[in-house]
Amino acid sequence: MQRLAIGPLYYEFSRHYSPRLRIRPGETIVVATEDALSGQIRTNDDRRDKVAMPYSNPLTGPIAVEGAEPGDSLAVTIHEIRPTGGQAATRTAEPKQLCEWLGTDCPHGAHVCPIRDGLIYWSDTVTIPYAPMIGCIGTAPDWGCPTTLPAGPHGGNLDILETAPGNTVYLPVFVTDGLLYLGDLHAAMGHGELSATGLEMAGETTLTVDLLKQSRLAWPRIESPEEIMAVVSGPPMERSIAQAYAQLILWMESSYGWDRWRAYDLLTHVGRISVGYYGLGTVAAKVEKRYLAGK
């Protein structure tokens, strides 16, 4: 099994970097990544220094997939995410849109949380279940170089809970070799990622990358054993919700034989959403697979 160690830290999903790893479709690999804070908070006394490193969410990659061409998609199945340092770090120094109601005198709030025995020790009295996910995962677009702050049709800073072990993330391919990047692992995260910082951790992700020829995805998709979901990002969030449901309906139509208007009716009653970082307007619209046979 090939392993990709942490090397140069990239803060863009760029087609201009040479691949650090080449794989065949169907190959399982292990990828090491730094945390979203670029490793600056290792103890409770550390502070995020944006002068030394102004960017967030460093990526490992790019990973070239043999035979990938524009119009294809990568099917990335996540098997395991494990912390390499046995801890996660978080901070609440910037209340952003909450300032209107909470004020601006928020303390730095940096603290490190040990991870052991399937639990995150947020404090001496509060533990959180270890529920890891990938915050940033995407392919290189053929135009422009999006940073690791937004999300888009290429993937990017999705911060969706469902990019988790056991699930498959489908990403559009825009350039030869696909050029897959990932980073920004979270030990856990709440819906909306309120402070724009999850429980950030360095770690290793075991994943299998398959290639789907000429599937021509408009936006990323995620499939779990129980659900399918379409992901869209961008403000205002109500538009992303509508577009994500539309993409889900089109998926039900093309892959499961549903009439789009019957799917529209069904999702009105059984559809669910998952919300990424609220400041970006990222939404996954989803439906349980048990309904898909009922067309």
Side-chain angles (χ1 to χ4, degrees):
M1 185 185 304
Q2 295 195 79
R3 305 175 70 90
L4 182 57
I6 295 176
L9 297 180
Y10 295 125
Y11 296 84
E12 296 174 323
F13 291 87
S14 174
R15 64 193 178 280
H16 300 300
Y17 299 126
S18 297
R20 292 192 56 228
L21 184 69
R22 291 188 175 274
I23 65 173
R24 299 180 305 277
E27 191 168 343
T28 299
I29 58 176
V30 177
V31 180
T33 53
E34 182 54 275
D35 69 34
L37 306 168
S38 299
Q40 290 187 331
I41 299 179
R42 299 296 199 215
T43 73
N44 290 342
D45 296 326
D46 293 336
R47 296 292 179 262
R48 176 78 167 90
D49 184 354
K50 291 189 176 182
V51 174
M53 174 46 68
Y55 312 124
S56 298
N57 305 324
L59 302 171
T60 296
I63 300 165
V65 182
E66 182 180 313
E69 295 291 342
D72 299 344
S73 63
L74 302 183
V76 183
T77 300
I78 306 164
H79 301 296
E80 181 184 17
I81 301 174
R82 69 177 193 87
T84 51
Q87 63 182 35
T90 190
R91 64 190 286 269
T92 53
E94 301 167 11
K96 301 182 185 297
Q97 296 180 41
L98 280 70
C99 293
E100 180 179 349
W101 303 280
L102 303 183
T104 59
D105 57 344
C106 179
H108 190 278
H111 68 287
V112 170
C113 308
I115 303 170
R116 59 179 181 272
D117 301 324
L119 293 172
I120 305 158
Y121 287 79
W122 185 82
S123 72
D124 292 337
T125 56
V126 176
T127 58
I128 299 171
Y130 179 66
M133 39 81 69
I134 302 173
C136 282
I137 185 169
T139 55
D142 59 353
W143 183 80
C145 295
T147 72
T148 53
L149 289 182
H154 66 292
N157 189 22
L158 297 176
D159 281 334
I160 286 285
L161 297 180
E162 288 80 4
T163 51
N167 295 352
T168 299
V169 182
Y170 299 95
L171 297 165
V173 170
F174 302 97
V175 299
T176 299
D177 292 335
L179 300 184
L180 174 68
Y181 295 83
L182 65 145
D184 182 26
L185 303 182
H186 295 174
M189 189 193 82
H191 285 269
E193 195 184 23
L194 191 57
S195 73
T197 305
L199 285 160
E200 312 289 349
M201 68 178 189
E204 290 187 340
T205 302
T206 303
L207 47 86
T208 299
V209 183
D210 285 301
L211 180 63
L212 305 179
K213 298 299 292 182
Q214 295 303 298
S215 49
R216 298 193 177 279
L217 300 185
W219 281 86
R221 295 173 174 176
I222 303 174
E223 182 175 359
S224 76
E226 297 83 23
E227 298 173 313
I228 64 170
M229 55 204 89
V231 181
V232 170
S233 183
M237 184 172 283
E238 57 265 31
R239 178 172 172 81
S240 288
I241 293 172
Q243 189 177 2
Y245 269 123
Q247 292 297 324
L248 182 58
I249 289 168
L250 293 173
W251 188 3
M252 293 170 67
E253 181 180 64
S254 64
S255 297
Y256 296 92
W258 275 77
D259 174 84
R260 64 179 58 182
W261 302 117
R262 291 288 287 171
Y264 171 48
D265 186 350
L266 178 69
L267 291 178
T268 299
H269 314 297
V270 302
R272 299 290 184 267
I273 63 171
S274 180
V275 179
Y277 172 46
Y278 74 97
L280 297 178
T282 304
V283 173
K286 53 188 183 174
V287 63
E288 294 180 38
K289 287 181 177 178
R290 64 189 178 95
Y291 291 111
L292 296 177
K295 64 182 184 298

